[in-house]
Amino acid sequence: MSSGNYIYTERTTSWMLTNGLALGAGPFTIRAMLPVFRQNSLMVTVSSAGPIPIGGSGTDPESDGGRGGGHGTPQIVGSYALTAQTESLSVDTGELLTSVSGYQMAVGDPTANLNLAVYQGGSIGFSMNVGAKAPVTGLTGFGTGQWDFGGSVSLSHRIGFSGLVSLDVGYWHLGDLPDFDLRDPVLASLNLARLSVGGWALGVSASAATAVVQGYPNAYQIGASVNRVGPGGTFGVNFALGLTETTPDLTVGLNWRIGLTRPRW
């Protein structure tokens, strides 16, 4: 759940559920995800990286009229979720997609990404990730009707037996709306995580993204997470606080990862 006023006088609250499957083979991991969301206003539009308050198709986001209503242009909502594993601690980027009115529900565009663990030696790790969002739902399904694609790199350093610090930097090309151009954002996050002997993982993070709309402030968030790591999967809770008008005031989430099977190669 994320909630915030953004640049408007009315609060937008979004409930999001993202399901996905991941398959790992050697240094490669491929993921496919499909979001479903429920939102109470048309002020937040959807894509692949960070929130921007546009206020609806044909509405000037800087005007006071844009602070009161719109006509369903999709909005970007994004978050960072720290996930701890038994063997290693990692950071996953999850998408929160939403743009509906009067607490309606909608299915978002599917997203797929491929991660490559380039190097893992001693306490240092380096990985690369590429991904894309397919315009399946289009404007009627609260999407932009355009492809989004991007990539990121991650550098991590293990601290002792159970600590990890990581830096992630990424770039996304966002498909433009029919009557509104979106800037391609650069994103970065700094993450600290610690896994206790009892299987509890604690994490804190700070993230930033350049403005997607000309004249808007950059997006900044801070967050924390608590995860329970077990042999069958990882379960946890995470929250984040937005520091600028282009982020939700508060984001709270539950996350779970369940192992289904192990390949024999």
Side-chain angles (χ1 to χ4, degrees):
M1 185 277 296
S2 64
S3 183
N5 285 51
Y6 301 93
I7 65 171
Y8 309 113
T9 57
E10 299 295 330
R11 176 170 294 272
T12 296
T13 299
S14 309
W15 294 86
M16 294 139 290
L17 174 65
T18 300
N19 283 303
L21 289 173
L23 175 64
F28 295 95
T29 302
I30 186 170
R31 294 181 176 89
M33 295 163 287
L34 182 67
V36 178
F37 49 85
R38 184 172 183 262
Q39 184 169 298
N40 69 333
S41 82
L42 298 171
M43 311 310 295
V44 179
T45 302
V46 180
S47 192
S48 302
I52 48 171
I54 289 181
S57 178
T59 303
D60 180 2
E62 296 291 349
S63 69
D64 192 63
R67 297 170 185 265
H71 303 285
T73 305
Q75 160 87 19
I76 302 168
V77 177
S79 75
Y80 294 93
L82 283 172
T83 301
Q85 302 178 17
T86 305
E87 298 296 329
S88 63
L89 302 176
S90 66
V91 179
D92 287 344
T93 302
E95 284 188 12
L96 312 177
L97 305 178
T98 175
S99 175
V100 290
S101 177
Y103 274 124
Q104 298 176 12
M105 295 188 68
V107 177
D109 289 330
T111 301
N113 65 67
L114 175 66
N115 183 269
L116 170 63
V118 179
Y119 175 79
Q120 184 67 54
S123 61
I124 301 296
F126 177 72
S127 64
M128 302 177 65
N129 184 83
V130 293
K133 179 185 72 67
V136 174
T137 61
L139 292 173
T140 57
F142 312 108
T144 62
Q146 302 292 330
W147 283 88
D148 292 351
F149 54 87
S152 63
V153 294
S154 177
L155 179 65
S156 63
H157 175 64
R158 185 173 297 279
I159 304 172
F161 175 75
S162 59
L164 188 78
V165 56
S166 64
L167 175 65
D168 299 86
V169 179
Y171 170 87
W172 273 90
H173 170 72
L174 305 180
D176 293 329
L177 300 168
D179 55 356
F180 203 98
D181 292 337
L182 301 178
R183 300 172 65 185
D184 296 339
V186 176
L187 307 97
S189 65
L190 179 64
N191 309 276
L192 301 173
R194 181 176 179 82
L195 180 64
S196 69
V197 177
W200 289 98
L202 306 178
V204 293
S205 64
S207 62
T210 57
V212 179
V213 177
Q214 182 72 35
Y216 279 26
N218 295 332
Y220 298 101
Q221 284 184 304
I222 56 174
S225 66
V226 179
N227 291 275
R228 176 66 175 177
V229 182
T234 301
F235 306 87
V237 59
N238 58 274
F239 72 91
L241 299 176
L243 305 180
T244 60
E245 289 181 329
T246 48
T247 58
D249 298 333
L250 175 66
T251 300
V252 179
L254 300 175
N255 62 83
W256 55 92
R257 290 161 53 112
I258 301 173
L260 299 180
T261 184
R262 286 184 175 272
R264 296 185 178 181
W265 61 78

